[in-house]
Amino acid sequence: MTQNEINIAVTCITALASQPNSGEKIKILLLNLFDSYSKSANPTKVEQPSASASITFTKSEISKMAKTFKTEFIANGLAAHVLKRQNSKNSVIYEIRYRRGGYYIHVSAATLEKAKAAFLRETLPENIDKHRHKNYAARGSFAAIAREWLEFKEGKLNPRTHKNYESYCRRFLLPALGDLPVSSIKTIDLNKIMSGVEGRVYEDLRIVLNSVFKYAMASGIISHNPVTLIPFKKTERSNRRTLTPDEIRKLLERLELPEFKAYKRTFLILLFFGLRPCELADARFEGDFLVARNAKRKNGKIEYKKIPVCPQAREMLDLSAPVECPHITNSLNRIFKRIMEDEAITQYYLRHTFATVCQQYVRPDIVDIWMGDSSERLVGRVYTHFPDDFMLAQMNTVIFTV
């Protein structure tokens, strides 16, 4: 054997020594090396099978790899499959193959060093995409687990909440974590994402992350939750208030302007019935009541609330016309700010106004029912069922300053 061949053999043996079943792999390599040496001395000998083993790369060697592939490659032990086979009567060829995580890389060269260089060259950012199967999502990747969790939660969450969680995954999580094996994601990786957001986005994003990793733990894919050390920061809610009589008069006057008249019915319904803006879409009038789906129910529970029509609403609204939601909540809020000519006043002030006015005339536990809030008392949540006549009589006592 030449000195170069001896050096290659030493490199292969060193790499194999850290692999499972290393003794058996080294034995196969040595047998094939001896066979190859014997063959060169006796050309008439029948050709023997090629030598096959794993080759391990150092972290310095993979420093220039594409980021997503490098993370996956490290998680799989920095190892690829190497095959040494007879290329011709007097030469051999080294093949390096990697087929995991949606990637399939295959290179070959006359020496192991050249094969390694070729392999590393194909893993550079500008080359790696051509070795990846399109539309592939590894079974244990974050993207696969997140999609599986979203599918599991569909129907168990409020549809609007579920849609928001899908949006958070698409905008913040999948670009950074999508291709990574969920078992390789560390707390520091999540902290980099969370440090770039704040407020309600931070609060909801942590809920999504924690839920996805808890689902992965329940599925036996990981043994610990890297979200545990990410603190949960409850966003401070701004304190809203009721509209003053002067502000209500201003609202009614400006709703008569041509540019805002199309929104008059919408905002009067929010004022007289205390609906959340997102509840407009499913609301309808039935006799003396407005019926709407309660948006604040956990686990996707469907529940409706019946709110009596107050005398002023009966005078100012056409109860035979359908309830319409002209825009999504954010757009509707921007229009309301323009109507009020005050950026600090939001459409949620209408809900606060409804609750405050009603409690001046009606018991708070009844107002809770109209608002769609759960009573703290067991008797309120389970045993109380007020008849429609009673509820309507209670609402007839309420007087809005319009």
Side-chain angles (χ1 to χ4, degrees), residues 61-100:
E61 287 177 323
I62 69 168
S63 60
K64 296 181 180 180
M65 281 182 175
K67 184 177 179 181
T68 52
F69 177 77
K70 179 165 62 175
T71 304
E72 201 271 347
F73 192 58
I74 292 173
N76 284 293
L78 304 122
H81 186 74
V82 62
L83 179 72
K84 179 186 176 183
R85 62 181 179 82
Q86 198 72 27
N87 186 40
S88 64
K89 182 177 179 180
N90 297 315
S91 65
V92 296
I93 191 169
Y94 292 87
E95 295 180 357
I96 298 180
R97 299 175 184 175
Y98 185 87
R99 195 167 190 170
R100 276 191 176 187

Side-chain angles (χ1 to χ4, degrees), residues 69-296:
F69 177 77
K70 179 165 62 175
T71 304
E72 201 271 347
F73 192 58
I74 292 173
N76 284 293
L78 304 122
H81 186 74
V82 62
L83 179 72
K84 179 186 176 183
R85 62 181 179 82
Q86 198 72 27
N87 186 40
S88 64
K89 182 177 179 180
N90 297 315
S91 65
V92 296
I93 191 169
Y94 292 87
E95 295 180 357
I96 298 180
R97 299 175 184 175
Y98 185 87
R99 195 167 190 170
R100 276 191 176 187
Y103 296 96
Y104 180 46
I105 305 172
H106 178 207
V107 299
S108 60
T111 66
L112 187 60
E113 286 80 1
K114 289 181 180 180
K116 287 179 69 175
F119 180 84
L120 293 172
R121 188 164 53 250
E122 295 304 308
T123 64
L124 295 175
E126 60 268 26
N127 297 326
I128 192 63
D129 283 345
K130 65 184 180 183
H131 298 292
R132 188 177 183 193
H133 296 301
K134 292 182 179 179
N135 302 321
Y136 179 88
R139 168 67 179 85
S141 70
F142 180 86
I145 301 301
R147 279 192 284 268
E148 196 173 307
W149 172 74
L150 285 168
E151 183 180 347
F152 171 73
K153 296 299 288 185
E154 191 168 8
K156 298 180 177 66
L157 292 173
N158 179 280
R160 187 179 184 86
T161 302
H162 190 271
K163 186 176 180 180
N164 286 340
Y165 286 172
E166 283 184 319
S167 176
Y168 285 128
C169 287
R170 184 174 63 254
R171 292 162 52 201
F172 298 103
L173 303 180
L174 295 185
L177 306 173
D179 295 331
L180 302 182
V182 72
S183 58
S184 72
I185 298 174
K186 300 179 181 178
T187 302
I188 193 169
D189 301 321
L190 305 181
N191 190 59
K192 290 176 183 177
I193 298 173
M194 301 303 291
S195 62
V197 296
E198 56 186 15
R200 289 293 295 272
V201 176
Y202 179 101
E203 185 178 319
D204 290 344
L205 203 57
R206 190 193 180 280
I207 291 173
V208 172
L209 279 171
N210 191 47
S211 299
V212 170
F213 282 100
K214 285 174 69 175
Y215 181 85
M217 287 179 65
S219 302
I221 299 171
I222 57 176
S223 59
H224 67 284
N225 186 350
V227 185
T228 304
L229 294 179
I230 304 292
F232 182 82
K233 301 175 185 176
K234 185 73 173 177
T235 305
E236 184 177 347
R237 270 58 170 177
S238 58
N239 291 323
R240 300 185 180 102
R241 59 175 176 81
T242 65
L243 295 176
T244 66
D246 287 340
E247 288 171 334
I248 293 177
R249 280 191 288 270
K250 180 179 181 178
L251 170 65
L252 297 178
E253 289 171 3
R254 289 184 59 77
L255 284 174
E256 296 297 333
L257 297 177
E259 61 179 310
F260 299 127
K261 198 157 188 176
Y263 304 104
K264 177 179 178 180
R265 178 176 168 82
T266 299
F267 289 121
L268 287 181
I269 289 175
L270 294 181
L271 172 64
F272 289 132
F273 297 93
L275 294 184
R276 303 175 180 93
C278 62
E279 294 172 338
L280 284 168
D282 296 316
R284 64 188 183 277
F285 286 107
E286 292 185 359
D288 294 322
F289 293 85
L290 182 139
V291 179
R293 181 177 174 179
N294 193 350
K296 294 296 184 180

Side-chain angles (χ1 to χ4, degrees), residues 12-13 18 24 33-34 51 97 101 107 110 190 204 207 253 262 279 320 328 344 364 377:
C12 291
I13 291 171
S18 61
E24 188 66 24
L33 286 174
F34 292 150
R97 299 175 184 175
V107 299
L190 305 181
D204 290 344
I207 291 173
E253 289 171 3
E279 294 172 338
S320 64
I328 62 173
R377 300 175 304 124

